[in-house]
Amino acid sequence: SQRKLVEEVKSATTSSVIVQEVARKMDSDQIERQKRKLNVIVLKVPESESPSSGQRRADDMKFCYEKLEMKKTEIDSVWRAGKKVDDEHCRPLIIKLVDED
């Protein structure tokens, strides 16, 4: 009977740990979704030919200001998704907004 009690306690402890881990993962997923909610993906935007990453980022920001008519205060950051494969394909431009408005 003592062995049975020990097994029940182990099982309950394991179940509790699993429940806590699942809850933590769900919270983490929800936080990640909230962060990504502010991202806008723009396709087929030509990439800058500049060898400087800073200049390429500045060129992407310029695109946002001039072509999309966005204000500096609306944009948190911009970046390109993935690795550059060749000059014929443009990587998606991701614009992270400051807020949902």
Side-chain angles (χ1 to χ4, degrees):
S1 94
Q2 188 176 10
R3 191 177 301 171
K4 187 176 178 182
L5 181 61
V6 168
E7 287 301 317
E8 287 178 10
V9 169
K10 281 184 182 178
S11 177
T13 302
T14 303
S15 296
S16 175
V17 169
I18 290 171
V19 167
Q20 288 174 354
E21 187 60 33
V22 168
R24 194 173 15 258
K25 178 70 173 146
M26 288 172 63
D27 288 344
S28 174
D29 289 347
Q30 187 175 9
I31 290 168
E32 188 64 28
R33 271 194 303 280
Q34 283 297 106
K35 286 181 186 176
R36 289 179 183 217
K37 190 188 234 184
L38 297 174
N39 291 352
V40 175
I41 301 172
V42 185
L43 304 175
K44 298 186 179 183
V45 177
E47 291 194 52
S48 172
E49 298 295 323
S50 175
S52 161
S53 62
Q55 184 58 52
R56 289 193 304 270
R57 185 169 297 120
D59 291 344
D60 286 340
M61 292 293 283
K62 183 177 177 184
F63 171 84
C64 294
Y65 302 145
E66 294 178 0
K67 303 294 184 186
L68 302 179
E69 299 180 0
M70 297 180 78
K71 298 176 185 134
K72 290 181 182 182
T73 57
E74 297 174 308
I75 301 172
D76 182 41
S77 59
V78 298
W79 68 93
R80 295 285 179 154
K83 289 186 176 183
K84 188 167 176 80
V85 179
D86 57 41
D87 291 333
E88 294 178 25
H89 297 91
C90 298
R91 295 176 292 166
L93 176 64
I94 301 175
I95 305 166
K96 183 175 183 177
L97 303 175
V98 173
D99 58 39
E100 292 183 57
D101 299 334

